[in-house]
Amino acid sequence: MKFIVSSSALLKQLASINGVVTNNPVVPILENFLFEINDSTLTITASDLETSMITELQVEAKESGRIAAPAKILIETLKNLPDQPVTFTIDEETYTIEISSSNGRYKLSGENATDFPRVPVVKGGSAIEIPSNVLARAINKTIFAVSNDELRPAMTGIYVQLRTDNVTFVATDGHRLLRFRRTDIATAQEASLIIPRKAFTLLKSTLPSEATAVRMEFNQSNAFFSFDNIRMICRLIDERYPDYENVIPVQNPNKLVIDRAALLSSVRRISIYSNKTTHQIRLKLSGSELQVSAEDLDFSNEANERLTCQYDGEDMEIGFNAKFLIEMLNNIDADEISFELSTPNRAGLLMPLANEDNENVLMLVMPVMLNNYV
């Protein structure tokens, strides 16, 4: 089997799906890309059994064939070649791959393509189309709050709720919760699924910057995404997601409106003086003033700052993990934010004062217990 392809075009396609390939896979064959040629179309597959990505490109070829090619050495070779046509000559009996370029010849050993696991097909599932820019935004707004706790597998993915009037993306790690909702995307058939973090991380890095329709199909066990010449299939997390709506407090009489950048800068500075284990900072609210403070008793470090704000509610003092607050404030685009609070031991709600069109972003953060409540 023989085919000719542009080295840079092949590298671009391999790089877009290379994130799936793991260093120590369960099955050694998964350290390879699966190359399949049919009618001058080269189909390349990468898989880790949970997630598979497939891409296609046109090549010059007279015959069909399949081979598993080692991912790492192939990508390193192409990275270091100048842009030029390269010829792949494959011996399907010995699984030897020879790459010829104007610079020289490179010989590497492939593996039998029949050992490569079959990619699941989504049949009889539901489908929805989401613009790539909306999907990328939804992933960016939620993925940082996904849990790493393998004992609670449901929370190691992003929960996607498809409704007849909106689509909602939710992520939580037990300390904070992110809810991203779009009202301009809906589905005729309601459904909910949990997409693993790795799948969405890979998808985010391959989504085109220009608005492209991403088709999402799913059944009981798998989700299938396709756009341009890329397809991704991932196994869904088969668990029950926590009832997040019940966690969001409804009665929040204390409302703080403040400049996002000012609060973010202040929390960043004050957190330098917080305890390195708890990252605890205090927010003290009274009148139109917010006092941000922290102390690290082990090293006798302390700091406090005063910020002007609009505050409507009772005077209160509440503690938060500075790392969580910084991440959440970083993920809000609005100039001004609203912080809704009830009591020092109940979750606070952080949201942009003005949402984008057809969009609703809500962030929930759990407080940390202060040593004293004044």
Side-chain angles (χ1 to χ4, degrees), residues 253-305:
N254 304 314
K255 290 185 172 60
L256 161 73
V257 173
I258 193 166
D259 181 83
R260 183 192 69 87
L263 179 60
L264 177 58
S265 301
S266 180
V267 173
R268 275 206 176 113
R269 287 189 294 270
I270 297 295
S271 68
I272 299 166
Y273 294 84
S274 67
N275 181 288
K276 295 297 168 272
T277 309
T278 62
H279 306 286
Q280 178 185 299
I281 60 162
R282 293 167 184 255
L283 303 184
K284 191 174 183 179
L285 292 148
S286 58
S288 59
E289 188 178 87
L290 167 65
Q291 193 173 326
V292 185
S293 63
E295 56 186 3
D296 187 351
L297 299 172
D298 299 341
F299 297 97
S300 301
N301 296 338
E302 60 177 282
N304 71 75
E305 288 188 13

Side-chain angles (χ1 to χ4, degrees), residues 67-118:
I67 186 88
K72 195 173 178 185
I73 192 168
L74 190 56
I75 282 200
E76 288 299 323
T77 306
L78 292 168
K79 266 185 191 168
N80 290 289
L81 274 177
D83 181 18
Q84 58 183 284
V86 288
T87 305
F88 280 72
T89 309
I90 292 147
D91 186 328
E92 291 189 69
E93 286 183 10
T94 60
Y95 311 120
T96 306
I97 303 164
E98 191 177 285
I99 306 168
S100 308
S101 72
S102 58
N103 302 62
R105 285 164 61 245
Y106 317 92
K107 211 169 187 179
L108 51 155
S109 54
E111 291 190 49
N112 190 343
T114 53
D115 296 336
F116 203 88
R118 288 175 67 88

Side-chain angles (χ1 to χ4, degrees), residues 252-256 285-288 310-316 341-342:
N252 303 297
N254 304 314
K255 290 185 172 60
L256 161 73
L285 292 148
S286 58
S288 59
Q310 288 171 255
Y311 179 60
D312 181 18
E314 294 177 12
D315 289 4
M316 73 183 293
L341 306 160
S342 53

Side-chain angles (χ1 to χ4, degrees), residues 43-71:
T43 304
I44 311 160
T45 306
S47 177
D48 67 357
L49 293 181
E50 296 285 323
T51 309
S52 303
M53 286 187 85
I54 303 160
T55 183
E56 289 179 350
L57 77 159
Q58 294 301 307
V59 296
E60 279 183 51
K62 289 190 168 68
E63 59 224 306
S64 301
R66 303 168 81 225
I67 186 88

Side-chain angles (χ1 to χ4, degrees), residues 89-316:
T89 309
I90 292 147
D91 186 328
E92 291 189 69
E93 286 183 10
T94 60
Y95 311 120
T96 306
I97 303 164
E98 191 177 285
I99 306 168
S100 308
S101 72
S102 58
N103 302 62
R105 285 164 61 245
Y106 317 92
K107 211 169 187 179
L108 51 155
S109 54
E111 291 190 49
N112 190 343
T114 53
D115 296 336
F116 203 88
R118 288 175 67 88
V119 174
V121 179
V122 176
K123 282 183 181 171
S126 308
I128 184 172
E129 281 203 353
I130 304 175
S132 58
N133 54 337
V134 173
L135 185 55
R137 195 168 160 78
I139 297 169
N140 280 326
K141 292 285 176 205
T142 51
I143 202 157
F144 69 92
V146 173
S147 173
N148 293 317
D149 187 357
E150 296 298 332
L151 296 174
R152 295 193 282 184
M155 287 157 64
T156 61
I158 293 177
Y159 183 55
V160 183
Q161 266 186 320
L162 305 167
R163 297 283 177 262
T164 51
D165 55 352
N166 66 60
V167 170
T168 304
F169 294 77
V170 181
T172 182
D173 60 5
H175 303 289
R176 60 213 162 144
L177 182 143
L178 273 288
R179 188 190 74 191
F180 177 89
R181 183 168 281 165
R182 286 290 293 209
T183 52
D184 56 342
I185 301 165
T187 174
Q189 196 176 347
E190 297 200 347
S192 53
L193 42 149
I194 307 172
I195 309 275
R197 179 215 293 261
K198 181 177 178 179
F200 263 157
T201 304
L202 289 166
L203 195 61
K204 186 180 82 165
S205 62
T206 48
L207 284 170
S209 49
E210 62 279 359
T212 307
V214 179
R215 183 173 171 81
M216 175 177 155
E217 295 174 69
F218 54 92
N219 57 17
Q220 290 294 315
S221 51
N222 294 290
F224 178 96
F225 297 87
S226 58
F227 57 93
D228 294 345
N229 60 342
I230 289 180
R231 286 171 284 158
M232 185 179 91
I233 300 99
C234 69
R235 193 177 295 168
L236 299 175
I237 297 174
D238 186 18
E239 294 283 335
R240 185 184 172 87
Y241 203 77
D243 185 1
Y244 72 90
E245 293 284 7
N246 270 344
V247 183
I248 300 169
V250 183
Q251 299 294 324
N252 303 297
N254 304 314
K255 290 185 172 60
L256 161 73
V257 173
I258 193 166
D259 181 83
R260 183 192 69 87
L263 179 60
L264 177 58
S265 301
S266 180
V267 173
R268 275 206 176 113
R269 287 189 294 270
I270 297 295
S271 68
I272 299 166
Y273 294 84
S274 67
N275 181 288
K276 295 297 168 272
T277 309
T278 62
H279 306 286
Q280 178 185 299
I281 60 162
R282 293 167 184 255
L283 303 184
K284 191 174 183 179
L285 292 148
S286 58
S288 59
E289 188 178 87
L290 167 65
Q291 193 173 326
V292 185
S293 63
E295 56 186 3
D296 187 351
L297 299 172
D298 299 341
F299 297 97
S300 301
N301 296 338
E302 60 177 282
N304 71 75
E305 288 188 13
R306 293 176 192 275
L307 301 170
T308 52
C309 63
Q310 288 171 255
Y311 179 60
D312 181 18
E314 294 177 12
D315 289 4
M316 73 183 293

